[in-house]
Amino acid sequence: MQKKIAVILGDGIGPEVTQQSIKVLDAVSRQFNHQFFYEYGLMGAMAIDKTGNSLPDETLEVCHRSDAILSGATAHPRYDNPSAHVSPEHGLLKLRKELGLFANIRPITSYAPLHHLSPLKSNRIEGVDFIIFRELTGGIYFGKKHLNEDQTQASDDCVYQKDEIARIAHLAFSYAKRRKKVLTLVDKANVLETSRLWRKVVQEIAAQYPDVTVNYLFVNNAAMQIIINPKQFDVILTENMFGDIISDEAGVITGSIGLLPSASVGNKRALFEPVHGSYPQAAGKNIANPNGSILSAAMMLDHFGLSEEAELVREAVMWNLANGFVTKDIDPINNYSTATIGDLISDYVENRIPSRMNKENMVISKSTII
Ligand code: IPM
Ligand code: MG
């Protein structure tokens, strides 16, 4: 298979973790006889520095002519000025809108070797496995914004069209159908008109998926349930702002945000990026966890229909975790570098039986704090 992949390296640790994904994708292409072609584009703080624009037209073109986009986090504190008209975040929001990436998909999976890192007790997170579908191109993020002249009143409109709700609802139902067949709509239908529309549209669509059980949960209750009993969820469907908040909340319960992948998909385009931020303090230090990016690349392989390849990459990540080949965020005492984790996963993909991977001959790339 031949695929064109647009790569946005991003800011902070973005470049070094994304490079590990490319390493792993190259191992996949050698092992399974595929050809992946990479074309690079700038976005975020790096793009502002070089072009004055957080999403240059050239990057958009690169993305438009690709089969998928692999991205690192884009943000940097030097642009953390809320009144600035150019910011790395603007670039990301514009990219989502321009490419029509209406659904953000975040799987939340608990990994047994990381249970001790979770803020929740192990018995609450064992077996947690759900997916959040967050609407990504509508709602309060993209509604009309207003600030009055004397800057004493501001508003952000939250608008949803029936079609915008229906398209992501169908996607979420189609996943639920293939999973545990439970879909939870998270809204605030006791207060918000937009939420009432979401409920109505989801109720209508539910009739087309009779084998899927639908639950409705107010967002404040959902925030509690994710902590109290995260195992109850299978597929969560929600609007843009609520999705931003609960997906970060859900992201921390499994132990490490450094491990979480995401996909943002539209009808024609799809972008894959880790959930974590750009962590500028760690940039260039070779200590960042590349697994979130590598698992995002695995989601990209699934998107290409390469499920065996995707499964092998996930198996490799699991093998590393189970055998203690982890970065500093997971084990502050015995840890391995970003690049070493990328090498180990690539090796696993190509050689399956990781005979030469044992802790004893890994000392060179291991950093031990004594
Ligand atoms: C995310 C981020 C973005 C969002 C920011 C960076 C604009 O938090 O991808 O979840 O709020 O959508
Ligand atoms: Mg967010």
Side-chain angles (χ1 to χ4, degrees), residues 21-320:
S21 290
I22 292 175
K23 217 185 251 178
V24 172
L25 287 171
D26 284 343
V28 167
S29 65
R30 284 191 295 273
Q31 184 66 22
F32 292 86
N33 268 317
H34 301 307
Q35 279 182 297
F36 298 139
F37 303 102
Y38 308 101
E39 205 178 352
Y40 290 79
L42 292 173
M43 188 173 82
M46 184 106 89
I48 302 176
D49 291 344
K50 291 198 176 149
T51 70
N53 183 346
S54 57
L55 180 65
D57 288 346
E58 212 184 309
T59 303
L60 258 181
E61 283 157 28
V62 168
C63 292
H64 272 301
R65 58 174 177 255
S66 69
D67 295 301
I69 303 146
L70 181 68
S71 182
T74 48
H76 202 281
R78 70 177 178 279
Y79 289 106
D80 269 355
N81 172 5
S83 55
H85 286 286
V86 195
S87 77
E89 288 82 0
H90 286 155
L92 179 62
L93 296 176
K94 187 172 168 206
L95 185 72
R96 289 173 180 169
K97 197 71 178 175
E98 294 274 338
L99 301 181
L101 307 176
F102 63 82
N104 182 240
I105 305 172
R106 284 193 186 188
I108 308 288
T109 317
S110 109
Y111 297 95
L114 303 188
H115 281 175
H116 64 286
L117 294 174
S118 173
L120 303 186
K121 294 194 182 82
S122 296
N123 62 355
R124 289 207 177 164
I125 51 161
E126 261 160 31
V128 163
D129 176 21
F130 61 96
I131 306 192
I132 299 176
F133 282 77
R134 165 193 174 193
E135 202 289 328
L136 204 58
T137 50
I140 199 164
Y141 271 63
F142 292 93
K144 209 171 117 224
K145 296 177 189 304
H146 181 70
L147 179 65
N148 72 349
E149 240 165 63
D150 55 4
Q151 307 206 343
T152 54
Q153 184 180 302
S155 61
D156 296 275
D157 287 354
C158 183
V159 182
Y160 268 110
Q161 312 289 336
K162 189 175 175 182
D163 291 355
E164 290 175 307
I165 301 168
R167 62 185 177 182
I168 187 168
H170 277 295
L171 192 64
F173 271 106
S174 69
Y175 268 72
K177 217 176 135 177
R178 282 179 272 132
R179 293 173 48 96
K180 287 173 268 170
K181 302 182 173 44
V182 181
L183 182 144
T184 306
L185 175 67
V186 169
D187 63 26
K188 190 73 184 170
N190 51 346
V191 179
L192 301 177
E193 204 54 54
T194 41
S195 285
R196 287 192 271 271
L197 183 63
W198 270 81
R199 269 199 193 199
K200 191 169 163 278
V201 174
V202 167
Q203 266 160 6
E204 277 168 25
I205 289 174
Q208 298 170 41
Y209 302 88
D211 49 341
V212 177
T213 305
V214 186
N215 297 321
Y216 300 92
L217 212 54
F218 296 143
V219 62
N220 49 312
N221 191 6
M224 291 194 291
Q225 295 300 324
I226 286 172
I227 302 296
I228 298 169
N229 180 16
K231 269 182 250 185
Q232 69 185 287
F233 297 113
D234 177 23
V235 168
I236 291 181
L237 169 64
T238 193
E239 60 100 78
N240 204 345
M241 182 84 246
F242 298 158
D244 182 48
I245 298 166
I246 64 161
S247 61
D248 270 8
E249 184 196 10
V252 296
I253 63 170
T254 61
S256 169
I257 196 165
L259 228 80
L260 298 180
S262 82
S264 299
V265 307
N267 289 331
K268 289 199 195 125
R269 308 271 164 245
L271 177 145
F272 301 85
E273 62 176 335
V275 163
H276 62 72
S278 63
Y279 191 18
Q281 307 89 314
K285 293 189 180 159
N286 206 13
I287 57 169
N289 188 343
N291 284 316
S293 179
I294 292 169
L295 291 170
S296 302
M299 287 181 86
M300 182 165 84
L301 294 170
D302 273 327
H303 176 77
F304 291 154
L306 304 175
S307 45
E308 188 189 340
E309 290 82 338
E311 210 35 62
L312 182 59
V313 172
R314 282 190 278 264
E315 188 186 304
V317 170
M318 278 307 299
W319 188 89
N320 265 3

